[in-house]
Structures are given as C-alpha cells and as structure tokens.
Amino acid sequence: MVVSSNNPHNKEILVRRRIASIFNKREEDFPSLREYNDYLEEVEDMIFDLVAGVDVPAIEEKIAEYQKENADLILINQARKAEELALAMAASKGPRAQTDNTDGSSQGGISVEAGQYAPTIAGGQPRPIGIAPQPVPLRGGPDMHGYAEDEETMRIRTERASSAAGWSIEFSKKRAFEEAFASICV
C-alpha cells in the first residue's frame, strides 16, 4: 500500500509510525506514572511539531540522539512487542493449535521463547498459522437452540428483526412510489 505524504492525515500516520517505532518505552520502564505521562506528552509534542513543520531540524537531531543513546532498549522493546503479538495471535487460534513450550506450559499456535523473534512476513505482520475457524451461520440450519426452523418461523423472525430495526413494508412502498414519480416531468 502506497501512502502519499501530500495528505496531512497520511503524513501524520507516517510520522506516528516512525516515532512509535523509536520512542517505544512502556509504563513499566518508568519509576512512576507521572514520568511515563511526561514521556508520552513529549512524544506527542514531537509528533505535532513534525506534522506541522515546526522546528523540524532540531526535532530530527533530538530523535537521532535518542536513537543512539537507547538503541539496545529500542530493539528489546521491538522484540518484546513482536513476541506479545505472536503470543496473542497464537492464543486467538484457540485450543486446536496447541504446542508445548520449553517450560512445559502450553500456548496456542507457535512457541516463542524469551529473546526469540516471532516469524514474520513482509510488512512486519505475523504469519498466520492454520485456518481460522469459520463463523457458524444462524440461518439455513439449526438455530441457536439446536432445532431446525421452518419457513413460517423464519418469516416471523425476519419480520420482527426488521420492525425492531425501524423498517416497515409501508415505508418501503411509500419510498418506491415517491422515487418512481419523482422522475416524471410535468
């Protein structure tokens, strides 16, 4: 996906992604919530100034300096984020894709040890494992109570759902009538 930086909204997205990949400290990295909030406020100020074009060279210099001083921490936090994403994806796969970790605990999907990078594909997104479960349709088969609906029951449920949503056959007829006669020139 190509994102044009001419659009101010797209420019902000690009700046936010870049800054978030560098300034990626978490709340647990700070001794107090106040210090963490000050850090977040400083990051937001930099993002705002970069998007608005205010004192860009000074901000770029500050970013480069921060990157040099905190290179190890930046990499550690990026790896931690990748691990958490991989574990979350594995957990979302459910119990059918269980594998055992080296510590004997069981995690769904893929096994990721501390310090190990999660498998990725181009774009930085985790590789899907297995086939996602398909949603079960509510119509055309047994319903939620385990018995099949006949046509009359389905018609009544559809009418009730439609009226609950504010739709009525009279409204539909009136709209069709108005649209048909709106195009006639007198």
Side-chain angles (χ1 to χ4, degrees), residues 44-73:
E44 281 299 316
D45 288 343
M46 284 191 298
I47 291 170
F48 179 81
D49 289 343
L50 285 173
V51 171
V54 177
D55 202 19
V56 174
I59 295 171
E60 289 294 340
E61 184 179 323
K62 186 176 183 179
I63 292 170
E65 183 180 322
Y66 179 86
Q67 239 175 335
K68 284 180 193 174
E69 292 175 2
N70 298 295
D72 292 338
L73 182 62

Short mmCIF file of all heavy atoms in Angstrom, two decimals, residues 44-73:
data_model
loop_
_atom_site.label_atom_id
_atom_site.label_comp_id
_atom_site.label_asym_id
_atom_site.label_seq_id
_atom_site.Cartn_x
_atom_site.Cartn_y
_atom_site.Cartn_z
N GLU A 44 4.24 13.16 21.98
CA GLU A 44 3.13 13.78 21.25
C GLU A 44 3.49 15.18 20.76
O GLU A 44 3.11 15.57 19.66
CB GLU A 44 1.87 13.84 22.12
CG GLU A 44 1.12 12.54 22.21
CD GLU A 44 0.62 12.03 20.87
OE1 GLU A 44 0.08 12.83 20.07
OE2 GLU A 44 0.77 10.83 20.62
N ASP A 45 4.23 15.93 21.56
CA ASP A 45 4.68 17.26 21.14
C ASP A 45 5.59 17.17 19.91
O ASP A 45 5.47 17.96 18.97
CB ASP A 45 5.40 17.98 22.28
CG ASP A 45 4.45 18.43 23.38
OD1 ASP A 45 3.23 18.50 23.14
OD2 ASP A 45 4.94 18.71 24.50
N MET A 46 6.49 16.18 19.93
CA MET A 46 7.38 16.00 18.78
C MET A 46 6.58 15.63 17.53
O MET A 46 6.84 16.15 16.44
CB MET A 46 8.41 14.92 19.08
CG MET A 46 9.53 15.38 19.97
SD MET A 46 10.91 14.22 20.07
CE MET A 46 10.14 12.79 20.76
N ILE A 47 5.62 14.73 17.68
CA ILE A 47 4.79 14.33 16.54
C ILE A 47 4.04 15.53 15.98
O ILE A 47 4.03 15.76 14.76
CB ILE A 47 3.81 13.21 16.94
CG1 ILE A 47 4.56 11.91 17.22
CG2 ILE A 47 2.75 12.99 15.87
CD1 ILE A 47 3.74 10.81 17.84
N PHE A 48 3.45 16.32 16.86
CA PHE A 48 2.70 17.50 16.42
C PHE A 48 3.61 18.47 15.67
O PHE A 48 3.26 18.96 14.59
CB PHE A 48 2.07 18.20 17.63
CG PHE A 48 1.31 19.44 17.25
CD1 PHE A 48 0.03 19.36 16.76
CD2 PHE A 48 1.90 20.70 17.38
CE1 PHE A 48 -0.67 20.51 16.39
CE2 PHE A 48 1.22 21.85 17.01
CZ PHE A 48 -0.08 21.75 16.52
N ASP A 49 4.80 18.72 16.22
CA ASP A 49 5.72 19.65 15.58
C ASP A 49 6.22 19.13 14.23
O ASP A 49 6.35 19.90 13.27
CB ASP A 49 6.90 19.96 16.50
CG ASP A 49 6.51 20.82 17.70
OD1 ASP A 49 5.41 21.44 17.65
OD2 ASP A 49 7.28 20.87 18.67
N LEU A 50 6.48 17.83 14.14
CA LEU A 50 6.92 17.26 12.87
C LEU A 50 5.83 17.35 11.80
O LEU A 50 6.10 17.69 10.65
CB LEU A 50 7.35 15.81 13.04
CG LEU A 50 8.70 15.59 13.72
CD1 LEU A 50 8.92 14.11 13.99
CD2 LEU A 50 9.83 16.14 12.85
N VAL A 51 4.60 17.07 12.19
CA VAL A 51 3.49 17.14 11.23
C VAL A 51 3.25 18.58 10.80
O VAL A 51 3.02 18.87 9.63
CB VAL A 51 2.21 16.51 11.83
CG1 VAL A 51 1.00 16.77 10.94
CG2 VAL A 51 2.39 15.01 12.03
N ALA A 52 3.33 19.51 11.75
CA ALA A 52 3.09 20.92 11.46
C ALA A 52 4.30 21.58 10.80
O ALA A 52 4.18 22.69 10.28
CB ALA A 52 2.73 21.67 12.74
N GLY A 53 5.47 20.95 10.84
CA GLY A 53 6.66 21.51 10.23
C GLY A 53 7.35 22.54 11.11
O GLY A 53 8.06 23.41 10.61
N VAL A 54 7.17 22.44 12.41
CA VAL A 54 7.74 23.41 13.36
C VAL A 54 9.09 22.88 13.85
O VAL A 54 9.16 21.81 14.46
CB VAL A 54 6.79 23.63 14.55
CG1 VAL A 54 7.42 24.56 15.57
CG2 VAL A 54 5.46 24.15 14.08
N ASP A 55 10.15 23.60 13.59
CA ASP A 55 11.49 23.30 14.09
C ASP A 55 11.91 21.84 13.82
O ASP A 55 12.40 21.14 14.70
CB ASP A 55 11.57 23.61 15.59
CG ASP A 55 12.99 23.83 16.07
OD1 ASP A 55 13.86 24.09 15.21
OD2 ASP A 55 13.22 23.72 17.29
N VAL A 56 11.71 21.42 12.58
CA VAL A 56 11.97 20.04 12.19
C VAL A 56 13.43 19.63 12.36
O VAL A 56 13.70 18.54 12.89
CB VAL A 56 11.47 19.78 10.74
CG1 VAL A 56 11.84 18.41 10.25
CG2 VAL A 56 9.96 19.98 10.66
N PRO A 57 14.42 20.45 11.95
CA PRO A 57 15.81 20.02 12.12
C PRO A 57 16.18 19.73 13.58
O PRO A 57 16.89 18.75 13.86
CB PRO A 57 16.63 21.19 11.59
CG PRO A 57 15.71 21.91 10.66
CD PRO A 57 14.34 21.73 11.22
N ALA A 58 15.71 20.54 14.50
CA ALA A 58 16.01 20.32 15.92
C ALA A 58 15.38 19.03 16.42
O ALA A 58 15.98 18.27 17.18
CB ALA A 58 15.54 21.50 16.76
N ILE A 59 14.17 18.77 15.99
CA ILE A 59 13.48 17.54 16.41
C ILE A 59 14.17 16.32 15.82
O ILE A 59 14.36 15.30 16.50
CB ILE A 59 11.99 17.59 16.03
CG1 ILE A 59 11.30 18.72 16.79
CG2 ILE A 59 11.31 16.26 16.30
CD1 ILE A 59 9.89 19.00 16.35
N GLU A 60 14.56 16.39 14.55
CA GLU A 60 15.25 15.27 13.91
C GLU A 60 16.58 14.99 14.62
O GLU A 60 16.96 13.83 14.79
CB GLU A 60 15.49 15.55 12.42
CG GLU A 60 14.23 15.52 11.59
CD GLU A 60 13.58 14.15 11.49
OE1 GLU A 60 14.24 13.12 11.73
OE2 GLU A 60 12.37 14.11 11.17
N GLU A 61 17.26 16.03 15.05
CA GLU A 61 18.51 15.87 15.79
C GLU A 61 18.25 15.20 17.14
O GLU A 61 18.98 14.29 17.56
CB GLU A 61 19.16 17.24 16.01
CG GLU A 61 20.50 17.17 16.69
CD GLU A 61 21.12 18.55 16.86
OE1 GLU A 61 20.97 19.39 15.95
OE2 GLU A 61 21.74 18.77 17.91
N LYS A 62 17.17 15.59 17.79
CA LYS A 62 16.79 15.00 19.08
C LYS A 62 16.45 13.52 18.91
O LYS A 62 16.82 12.68 19.74
CB LYS A 62 15.59 15.77 19.65
CG LYS A 62 15.19 15.36 21.02
CD LYS A 62 14.06 16.25 21.52
CE LYS A 62 13.66 15.91 22.93
NZ LYS A 62 12.60 16.78 23.43
N ILE A 63 15.74 13.19 17.82
CA ILE A 63 15.38 11.79 17.54
C ILE A 63 16.63 10.96 17.29
O ILE A 63 16.77 9.85 17.83
CB ILE A 63 14.41 11.72 16.33
CG1 ILE A 63 13.06 12.33 16.69
CG2 ILE A 63 14.24 10.28 15.86
CD1 ILE A 63 12.14 12.52 15.51
N ALA A 64 17.56 11.49 16.49
CA ALA A 64 18.80 10.76 16.20
C ALA A 64 19.61 10.53 17.47
O ALA A 64 20.17 9.43 17.68
CB ALA A 64 19.62 11.54 15.18
N GLU A 65 19.69 11.53 18.33
CA GLU A 65 20.42 11.40 19.59
C GLU A 65 19.76 10.34 20.49
O GLU A 65 20.44 9.50 21.07
CB GLU A 65 20.45 12.76 20.30
CG GLU A 65 21.24 12.75 21.58
CD GLU A 65 21.24 14.12 22.26
OE1 GLU A 65 21.30 15.13 21.52
OE2 GLU A 65 21.16 14.16 23.49
N TYR A 66 18.44 10.38 20.59
CA TYR A 66 17.71 9.39 21.40
C TYR A 66 17.95 7.99 20.85
O TYR A 66 18.13 7.04 21.61
CB TYR A 66 16.22 9.72 21.40
CG TYR A 66 15.39 8.73 22.20
CD1 TYR A 66 15.21 8.88 23.57
CD2 TYR A 66 14.78 7.64 21.59
CE1 TYR A 66 14.46 7.98 24.30
CE2 TYR A 66 14.04 6.73 22.31
CZ TYR A 66 13.88 6.90 23.66
OH TYR A 66 13.15 6.00 24.38
N GLN A 67 17.95 7.87 19.51
CA GLN A 67 18.15 6.57 18.88
C GLN A 67 19.54 6.01 19.22
O GLN A 67 19.68 4.81 19.47
CB GLN A 67 18.00 6.70 17.36
CG GLN A 67 16.92 5.83 16.79
CD GLN A 67 16.72 6.08 15.31
OE1 GLN A 67 17.01 7.13 14.78
NE2 GLN A 67 16.19 5.09 14.65
N LYS A 68 20.56 6.87 19.20
CA LYS A 68 21.91 6.42 19.53
C LYS A 68 22.01 5.98 20.98
O LYS A 68 22.58 4.94 21.29
CB LYS A 68 22.91 7.55 19.29
CG LYS A 68 23.24 7.80 17.85
CD LYS A 68 24.26 8.94 17.74
CE LYS A 68 24.38 9.44 16.32
NZ LYS A 68 25.24 10.63 16.24
N GLU A 69 21.46 6.79 21.88
CA GLU A 69 21.57 6.50 23.31
C GLU A 69 20.77 5.29 23.74
O GLU A 69 21.14 4.60 24.69
CB GLU A 69 21.11 7.72 24.12
CG GLU A 69 22.02 8.92 24.02
CD GLU A 69 21.45 10.13 24.74
OE1 GLU A 69 20.37 10.03 25.35
OE2 GLU A 69 22.10 11.19 24.68
N ASN A 70 19.65 5.02 23.09
CA ASN A 70 18.74 3.96 23.52
C ASN A 70 18.57 2.85 22.49
O ASN A 70 17.53 2.20 22.45
CB ASN A 70 17.37 4.58 23.85
CG ASN A 70 17.45 5.57 24.97
OD1 ASN A 70 17.76 5.22 26.10
ND2 ASN A 70 17.18 6.83 24.66
N ALA A 71 19.57 2.61 21.67
CA ALA A 71 19.46 1.62 20.60
C ALA A 71 19.11 0.23 21.14
O ALA A 71 18.24 -0.47 20.60
CB ALA A 71 20.74 1.56 19.78
N ASP A 72 19.78 -0.17 22.21
CA ASP A 72 19.52 -1.50 22.79
C ASP A 72 18.09 -1.61 23.32
O ASP A 72 17.39 -2.59 23.07
CB ASP A 72 20.50 -1.81 23.91
CG ASP A 72 21.91 -2.01 23.39
OD1 ASP A 72 22.08 -2.31 22.19
OD2 ASP A 72 22.86 -1.86 24.20
N LEU A 73 17.65 -0.59 24.04
CA LEU A 73 16.30 -0.59 24.61
C LEU A 73 15.23 -0.59 23.50
O LEU A 73 14.21 -1.27 23.62
CB LEU A 73 16.10 0.61 25.54
CG LEU A 73 14.75 0.70 26.24
CD1 LEU A 73 14.55 -0.51 27.15
CD2 LEU A 73 14.65 1.99 27.03
#
